[in-house]
Amino acid sequence: MDAFRLLTRSTKFKSAARAAEPTARLPSTGKAANPQLFRTAEGENLELAQNGKKRKRAPVAAEEHGDDTAELDFFSSNKRTAVTSAAAPAAKLDQEQASGQDDGSDEEEAMDEVERRTILNSHKIKVTDLRDLDEIHSQPAPAKESKKKKKKSKKEEAPILSKKEMKRVRRMYPQPLVSFKELRSKYKISSRLAENVAEQGFTVPTEVQLGTLPILLGDSSIPMENEAEPDLLVVAPTGSGKTLSFLIPAINKIVRHHHSKSDEHGILAVVVAPTKELASQIFNEGRKLVAGTGVKITLMKKGMRVVDQDEEGDVNVLDEESEASSGSDEEEYSKPKKGQTNVPVTKSDILVTTPLQLVNSLSANQTMPMGRLPLVRSLVLDEADVLLDPLFRDQTLNIWRSCVHPDMRVSLWSATMGSNVEDLTRSTIKERLEDLGQKSDKLHPLVRLVVGLKDSAVPNIDHRLVYAATEQGKLLGLRQLLRPTAAAATDIRLRPPFLIFTQTIPRAIALHSELKYDIPAEAGGSSRIAVLHSDLSDSQRSEIMRDFRKGEIWILVTTDVLARGLDLRGLNGVVNYDIPNSAAVYVHRVGRTGRAGREGGIAVTYYTKEDIPYVKSIANVIDASEKLRGTDDKKSIQKWLLESLPDLSKKDKQELKKHGVKARQASKQLGKDENDKGSRAARISTKSGYERRMENRKRGAIAASRNRKATGAAAGNESDGSWDGLEE
Ligand SMILES: Nc1ncnc2c1ncn2[C@@H]1O[C@H](COP(=O)(O)OP(=O)(O)OP(=O)(O)O)[C@@H](O)[C@H]1O
């Protein structure tokens, strides 16, 4: 069934619309051609050459361990040594080759710095060492590059450098991952994990995967003491595959851990995400990746216990005994100890959670001091900038501090990151180490990786900034989008499925009830449009998400609760019915479309007279994104508009970020009467619900009678361009 066609209510318009915009360009039609957003011909040629370049493997003597030797070698504590020397035993490889399974295990030549630099630059990947200069200077140079320099630099004082020189000193060129095969051949990840990645059918790594996976899996081209894995701060575009980038190394580290410390059981990795929808999505991705690896992943639920903590707050690491007493390995929980609460302790390696759920669990709903997570080695903060924003900051920092293992590494991921996040990250890492009694010279590196332009929207979507003058103007504009026959005047062709964002929950509810009779009965009527916000119960939220993904709901009205992280691959567009509270929120909202390089997504943003003071930062994001795309001829933001829009003071920006546009705040929030002039102007309504229901019935009756007359023609029109929902 073609949602767009049903919404047009016109037979004449169909062919014109189709001719104007071929469906092949829509994100909801098929796979993305190339998930990479940036690539120059020079870099591409070099990558192709690297992919083709294989060095003859040095024969390795088969050891007495039999077939598993390669795995055991690989899981040895010194992973870099393993990376360079742990080629699989010839016997096993020959066997694999004979059976035609090329896992790409041929050892590949390491790239030199010029090659690495060319490939990274070609993908607009910038890697920076964020440590203080004296710390960088006290570090050894990469193993092969200069032993002499290493000795010398230790004695030297950090020289005084210009800003430009400092940038140059901090810049790093780690090995890029030019193909997924290298995960196995170069970085020796668990074979089962590599298979699970391959099963996803991805052909080339996205930029963020190309840049971060080698760093997190152990890249010998980065100069680090004691093979130290760095803490990592990653800024990469929306929909660029960050989830896979943090899940693969976290899972691989646990597989290794299971081999080297088989007696240690408990949570080894924590992934924190700001919303339940995002946590559940990460959990689902994780489930696909851990299959058959022996790693368990759990989605945090209300009332779940995550550590075995006695009343004094002491944490007991689950030992063999307590595990054995839990019976089967398949059970999700291990039994509680005598004298402890009756809720069993979660038996999992990876915990995916929202901040509040974990804090509540660790502090018995904030009635006790925070418990500790003593075994956690990887802490992942997805959408880190929002997790470190005032709303979640305390909860996130509490979780961070509760991870007390000295080898714990943190990684922070988002498409937007303010410089305050960097400062907070640095200071938290230092404080945490001091609390753990570690010397500052034990400080491991903090590395920042940025893909593309920091804080910018993906270049593969079409932005439309539409002046609607008033609230009523916005509603009229949106109705035109819903009825494309009337949209001829606007040239915006937005096909379902799409999301509509409002500033507040009451506005989302009001807009939903205003629009729900706009979908014709023959297209499914009001069931095609839904509203999702944080006042709904968990089960209502997941039911709506499920129906939206399945394609039963076509239009979802929501608040910023769905602005971040959510991956709806075939979403055709986003409507900002209310302008976003900040440029960062704009980047995330519109980033729900155009995922993994998909073309054809549209982002429509309405603004009214009241919004004019707040539009410039959004116009700037659009302008930057269009520059990145290189479509100067099709610019939607004219220079005169950018120049005439007012700049917002820092204070007003902060106010906007906190409360949104004042005219649209709930009347209660402003302490106003709902019927005063200002409140009425911001109201989303043209007619009463009763009037709209009556109109809708009448329309339905007319349409049904027309349908009866022209059943044959309608049946003929159902065959092509169908839309079967969003891909999972
Ligand atoms: N190498 C790849 N090739 C093709 N598709 C990929 C690749 N890696 C990931 N994807 C797909 O890209 C989509 C976006 O991935 P993901 O949700 O991880 O993006 P993200 O960077 O976390 O986005 P956001 O910033 O919005 O959270 C997913 O559907 C994922 O399956």
Side-chain angles (χ1 to χ4, degrees):
M1 193 181 336
D2 184 344
F4 183 79
R5 211 183 308 166
L6 280 163
L7 291 175
T8 64
R9 304 165 198 257
S10 159
T11 42
K12 278 184 197 151
F13 182 71
K14 280 172 224 158
S15 49
R18 282 174 172 266
E21 187 149 10
T23 50
R25 260 181 59 83
L26 289 175
S28 56
T29 52
K31 276 192 153 188
N34 186 349
Q36 296 180 337
L37 294 171
F38 316 103
R39 182 146 83 162
T40 62
E42 196 189 6
E44 191 173 345
N45 289 340
L46 201 55
E47 280 170 59
L48 287 173
Q50 281 298 326
N51 267 328
K53 207 195 290 180
K54 283 187 178 178
R55 209 170 56 188
K56 228 179 165 214
R57 218 176 7 251
V60 177
E63 291 174 37
E64 52 210 72
H65 307 290
D67 272 1
D68 280 344
T69 316
E71 296 286 321
L72 291 175
D73 227 4
F74 162 50
F75 297 121
S76 74
S77 58
N78 187 345
K79 65 185 178 192
R80 293 246 166 72
T81 321
V83 166
T84 47
S85 67
K92 187 178 176 191
L93 283 167
D94 289 343
Q95 202 184 335
E96 279 174 358
Q97 277 170 348
S99 65
Q101 303 169 354
D102 179 12
D103 71 348
S105 297
D106 290 30
E107 204 165 294
E108 284 154 39
E109 272 177 35
M111 281 181 232
D112 63 29
E113 190 181 309
V114 177
E115 289 172 322
R116 301 197 301 258
R117 188 195 291 242
T118 310
I119 291 178
L120 293 170
N121 286 346
S122 138
H123 287 283
K124 295 192 189 299
I125 298 172
K126 207 169 169 183
V127 188
T128 313
D129 193 331
L130 291 184
R131 286 172 302 171
D132 294 337
L133 279 186
D134 47 352
E135 284 165 5
I136 298 176
H137 279 272
S138 70
Q139 288 296 305
K144 281 181 195 167
E145 286 184 12
S146 167
K147 278 188 182 169
K148 271 184 202 162
K149 265 189 204 163
K150 181 177 157 184
K151 272 188 186 169
K152 212 174 157 193
S153 61
K154 274 202 167 168
K155 283 180 207 159
E156 273 175 6
E157 291 280 300
I160 299 161
L161 299 174
S162 69
K163 251 187 168 178
K164 207 172 160 192
E165 284 167 328
M166 276 201 273
K167 271 191 180 169
R168 196 180 43 75
V169 172
R170 290 213 156 96
R171 196 70 190 267
M172 301 168 111
Y173 299 97
Q175 292 284 343
L177 183 88
V178 294
S179 91
F180 278 120
K181 272 188 167 186
E182 286 185 349
L183 288 177
R184 191 72 190 123
S185 61
K186 234 180 185 169
Y187 301 100
K188 310 285 173 208
I189 71 162
S190 126
S191 57
R192 190 55 211 257
L193 177 57
E195 275 168 31
N196 294 344
V197 175
E199 262 170 33
Q200 310 234 352
F202 302 143
T203 45
V204 278
T206 62
E207 274 84 11
V208 68
Q209 294 159 357
L210 184 146
T212 58
L213 283 169
I215 296 177
L216 291 173
L217 291 169
D219 174 5
S220 51
S221 62
I222 298 187
M224 283 161 203
E225 197 130 42
N226 306 327
E227 311 291 335
E229 177 191 332
D231 289 315
L232 191 64
L233 221 140
V234 181
V235 192
T238 51
S240 64
K242 294 188 279 296
T243 316
L244 214 61
S245 313
F246 59 70
L247 282 178
I248 293 174
I251 296 168
N252 195 51
K253 203 160 149 181
I254 295 170
V255 179
R256 287 180 184 177
H257 187 95
H258 283 175
H259 278 75
S260 59
K261 293 205 165 94
S262 55
D263 55 335
E264 220 179 53
H265 298 280
I267 293 165
L268 295 166
V270 173
V271 181
V272 189
T275 63
K276 288 172 188 163
E277 282 75 15
L278 182 52
S280 147
Q281 182 181 291
I282 296 169
F283 166 69
N284 282 330
E285 285 305 302
R287 259 201 321 200
K288 290 183 221 159
L289 293 173
V290 297
T293 58
V295 174
K296 284 184 187 149
I297 183 164
T298 299
L299 180 64
M300 183 79 198
K301 294 265 162 62
K302 207 171 169 185
M304 212 179 240
R305 277 179 72 220
V306 292
V307 278
D308 188 20
Q309 194 176 8
D310 60 30
E311 271 147 31
E312 284 82 50
D314 292 334
V315 174
N316 307 305
V317 173
L318 293 182
D319 51 17
E320 286 263 58
E321 227 182 7
S322 64
E323 196 208 339
S325 69
S326 75
S328 148
D329 229 31
E330 297 306 310
E331 277 177 38
E332 179 131 356
Y333 301 119
S334 64
K335 283 183 188 156
K337 283 187 172 176
K338 228 179 161 187
Q340 288 173 341
T341 6
N342 266 341
V343 185
V345 173
T346 303
K347 214 177 149 200
S348 185
D349 302 295
I350 306 177
L351 186 71
V352 187
T353 180
T354 61
L356 187 63
Q357 278 178 320
L358 183 52
V359 166
N360 279 346
S361 172
L362 287 174
S363 62
N365 289 323
Q366 307 186 26
T367 57
M368 277 168 67
M370 280 285 286
R372 285 173 292 146
L373 292 161
L375 304 182
V376 171
R377 309 293 208 279
S378 313
L379 173 65
V380 176
L381 303 180
D382 193 18
E383 308 298 343
D385 53 334
V386 86
L387 289 176
L388 293 172
D389 229 32
L391 183 66
F392 293 111
R393 187 179 298 156
D394 288 345
Q395 295 164 14
T396 307
L397 291 180
N398 278 339
I399 293 171
W400 196 336
R401 290 182 196 120
S402 72
C403 300
V404 289
H405 198 283
D407 291 340
M408 196 278 288
R409 295 291 183 271
V410 65
S411 63
L412 301 93
W413 308 75
S414 183
T416 52
M417 204 88 85
S419 53
N420 60 326
V421 176
E422 266 171 38
D423 297 339
L424 190 58
T425 305
R426 246 197 290 235
S427 58
T428 311
I429 291 171
K430 275 195 178 159
E431 275 166 30
R432 190 181 156 275
L433 283 183
E434 276 163 25
D435 289 349
L436 294 176
Q438 295 225 326
K439 286 187 193 145
S440 62
D441 63 349
K442 285 272 176 261
L443 210 66
H444 42 270
L446 171 63
V447 172
R448 180 185 64 202
L449 184 143
V450 180
V451 177
L453 260 185
K454 210 162 156 254
D455 303 338
S456 68
V458 274
N460 49 316
I461 49 179
D462 186 4
H463 302 263
R464 303 298 178 96
L465 192 57
V466 182
Y467 180 61
T470 60
E471 282 293 323
Q472 275 69 26
K474 293 202 290 192
L475 201 51
L476 281 172
L478 186 56
R479 287 221 155 93
Q480 283 186 339
L481 289 184
L482 288 176
R483 287 184 213 156
T485 35
T490 68
D491 89 325
I492 303 172
R493 301 218 188 293
L494 181 57
R495 283 165 180 259
F498 59 84
L499 287 171
I500 305 176
F501 286 102
T502 64
Q503 181 173 306
T504 60
I505 297 175
R507 286 178 66 77
I509 296 169
L511 185 61
H512 171 244
S513 41
E514 183 66 20
L515 295 177
K516 71 177 171 193
Y517 299 117
D518 281 39
I519 313 270
E522 65 269 32
S526 57
S527 69
R528 296 295 188 199
I529 177 161
V531 59
L532 190 150
H533 51 79
S534 56
D535 277 357
L536 296 179
S537 69
D538 288 0
S539 62
Q540 284 172 313
R541 280 163 74 165
S542 38
E543 198 177 318
I544 294 170
M545 279 317 299
R546 198 192 52 224
D547 288 350
F548 192 48
R549 284 184 195 274
K550 271 180 10 198
E552 280 163 16
I553 292 170
W554 293 352
I555 296 160
L556 191 54
V557 185
T558 187
T559 61
D560 284 329
V561 73
L562 291 193
R564 281 175 177 259
L566 215 65
D567 183 47
L568 306 158
R569 281 183 219 176
L571 196 80
N572 286 330
V574 166
V575 177
N576 290 316
Y577 188 77
D578 294 335
I579 61 156
N581 291 1
S582 68
V585 175
Y586 180 83
V587 169
H588 288 278
R589 279 186 184 180
V590 303
R592 295 316 97 213
T593 187
R595 315 280 294 167
R598 282 182 176 76
E599 291 284 342
I602 299 181
V604 184
T605 305
Y606 292 114
Y607 67 106
T608 65
K609 249 186 347 230
E610 288 77 29
D611 297 326
I612 291 175
Y614 311 119
V615 173
K616 188 156 188 176
S617 59
I618 293 160
N620 278 331
V621 171
I622 298 176
D623 190 50
S625 152
E626 288 174 347
K627 273 188 189 138
L628 215 58
R629 189 188 183 100
T631 46
D632 270 358
D633 49 326
K634 257 184 79 185
K635 280 183 79 150
S636 59
I637 306 290
Q638 299 305 321
K639 203 168 167 233
W640 64 262
L641 179 65
L642 266 183
E643 280 169 5
S644 56
L645 285 169
D647 284 313
L648 204 59
S649 71
K650 206 173 168 190
K651 194 170 154 244
D652 287 343
K653 265 189 194 163
Q654 279 167 352
E655 185 59 24
L656 179 71
K657 194 174 163 199
K658 258 194 195 157
H659 304 294
V661 176
K662 204 168 177 183
R664 270 176 226 125
Q665 287 170 21
S667 316
K668 266 190 226 152
Q669 218 175 322
L670 294 168
K672 272 206 236 160
D673 175 2
E674 285 197 3
N675 286 317
D676 81 1
K677 211 176 147 202
S679 305
R680 278 205 312 271
R683 196 179 288 163
I684 302 176
S685 171
T686 45
K687 293 176 185 166
S688 73
Y690 177 76
E691 278 176 290
R692 299 198 46 71
R693 204 156 43 242
M694 288 301 117
E695 267 184 19
N696 184 57
R697 275 196 198 144
K698 201 168 146 194
R699 255 196 328 252
I702 296 170
S705 122
R706 269 204 207 123
N707 265 358
R708 277 194 296 275
K709 282 183 199 152
T711 354
N717 284 335
E718 293 258 336
S719 56
D720 60 322
S722 67
W723 170 59
D724 297 321
L726 302 154
E727 288 171 62
E728 282 267 14

